[in-house]
Amino acid sequence: MRARPKALIADDEPLLREALTQQLALAWPELEVVALARNGREAVAQFEALRPDVCFLDVHMPGLSGVEAAHQIGRRAHLVFVTAYDHYAVEAFAQGALDYLVKPVESARLAETVARLQERLRAAEPARNTEALLQQLVEEMARLRDGAALSAPLRWIHAQVGEALRLIPVEDVDYLRSDTKYTRVAWRGEVGRPQEALVRIPLRQLAAQLDPAQFAQVHRSVVVNLKAISHVLRGDNESAEIHLKGRKEVLPVSRSYLHRFRQM
């Protein structure tokens, strides 16, 4: 093993690249992060130029996915996938063919991965032959992109809160409200405390990814989690207002969406 093994981190979220870099500095001080890539194509190019020992690859990146990048890198590096929600990938990796980390990366889980990588490097073990598995994953991701994946409900919303990047579970979101070019996300944080953040994603784009059995659009600028509703009050002129459990805000229901509450 080199005195200072080298690593590459590829993730299209700059804050997540930085967060993993900082976590690795604590968990593996000898590891030298020699490249940070914003997408799969950059990851492959920087790998060819710098030949790191380990590559941490986000599964979903624009242009070339982490799996497709790994397919090109092959056995020339030890591969660790970082994923937010890919159950199918986690299941495949859990078979022991590859290492993986689930976002947000937990320190204890990262320590296990670091120990496993150090052992492989110390023993000068070649990277595992993952050709068949990677090809299978590439085909599976292509299939999902064409169909099922596009309809899979969103599970996490990434939001900047102060200096921190928050990964908000969609199931904890009470409502989403359009705020000019942003969307206001109101959710339940630790111990059920109401919290809010702004994200640079239009409400329409977020709404299209939500589970329609859990979320309903009730106004052109409001989408609400049905489980968060305390009660609905009918108003004048074919309108209504939604009151939420444990929140003071009152959400409007416009006439075009009032049919959802016709039994009132």
Side-chain angles (χ1 to χ4, degrees):
M1 182 170 69
R2 282 193 277 202
R4 295 206 65 184
K6 298 180 179 179
L8 174 151
I9 296 174
D11 197 309
D12 60 333
E13 293 278 356
L15 290 173
L16 294 181
R17 292 197 303 268
E18 181 62 28
L20 184 55
T21 301
Q22 293 177 5
Q23 286 180 285
L24 283 169
L26 294 174
W28 195 353
E30 298 79 17
L31 184 71
E32 183 181 5
V33 177
V34 294
L36 297 173
R38 298 172 297 180
N39 53 57
R41 296 192 191 285
E42 281 191 5
V44 173
Q46 295 198 44
F47 172 81
E48 297 295 350
L50 300 168
R51 295 300 175 98
D53 305 284
V54 183
C55 295
F56 294 87
L57 303 171
D58 181 23
V59 170
H60 282 285
M61 291 186 288
L64 199 67
S65 74
V67 174
E68 291 166 326
H71 191 53
Q72 295 190 22
I73 293 170
R75 301 185 65 184
R76 295 178 293 169
H78 297 281
L79 303 173
V80 178
F81 284 100
V82 186
T83 178
Y85 48 83
D86 299 79
H87 284 310
Y88 72 93
V90 171
E91 286 299 320
F93 305 153
Q95 302 303 314
L98 296 171
D99 278 318
Y100 70 92
L101 296 166
V102 176
K103 300 177 185 178
V105 176
E106 297 180 353
S107 298
R109 182 65 182 84
L110 179 60
E112 293 176 4
T113 297
V114 166
R116 194 171 297 123
L117 288 167
Q118 289 174 331
E119 181 60 31
R120 290 180 189 173
L121 292 172
R122 191 178 301 113
E125 291 182 15
R128 294 180 176 177
N129 185 1
T130 56
E131 186 68 21
L133 175 63
L134 288 173
Q135 182 59 40
Q136 176 185 336
L137 290 174
V138 168
E139 293 172 359
E140 179 71 358
M141 291 182 72
R143 185 184 69 78
L144 291 174
R145 274 200 297 266
D146 292 340
L150 295 178
S151 61
L154 185 69
R155 296 185 60 228
W156 301 90
I157 295 175
H158 298 184
Q160 186 76 36
V161 181
E163 297 298 319
L165 177 69
R166 297 294 302 264
L167 296 179
I168 303 169
V170 168
E171 62 186 13
D172 292 343
V173 171
D174 286 339
Y175 68 90
L176 303 168
R177 190 163 194 166
S178 180
D179 188 339
T180 318
K181 59 183 178 181
Y182 300 96
T183 297
R184 183 174 301 277
V185 181
W187 83 99
R188 302 282 174 165
E190 293 78 9
V191 300
R193 189 175 59 184
Q195 298 192 47
E196 291 187 5
L198 290 175
V199 297
R200 293 174 180 268
I201 305 174
L203 177 64
R204 183 168 54 184
Q205 183 178 336
L206 279 174
Q209 302 176 70
L210 298 175
D211 183 354
Q214 184 179 0
F215 288 88
Q217 184 134 19
V218 294
H219 188 277
R220 61 181 174 79
S221 64
V222 179
V223 171
V224 66
N225 186 339
L226 298 174
K227 294 181 179 178
I229 295 177
S230 167
H231 58 279
V232 181
L233 291 179
R234 192 75 175 264
D236 299 330
N237 301 321
E238 291 293 306
S239 65
E241 58 185 25
I242 291 175
H243 294 251
L244 302 165
K245 299 173 184 174
R247 283 186 176 274
K248 296 179 180 178
E249 305 96 304
V250 175
L251 304 178
V253 180
S254 60
R255 180 182 302 176
S256 57
Y257 297 100
L258 197 58
H259 64 279
R260 297 181 184 278
F261 309 101
R262 283 297 183 197
Q263 64 272 35
M264 292 170 55

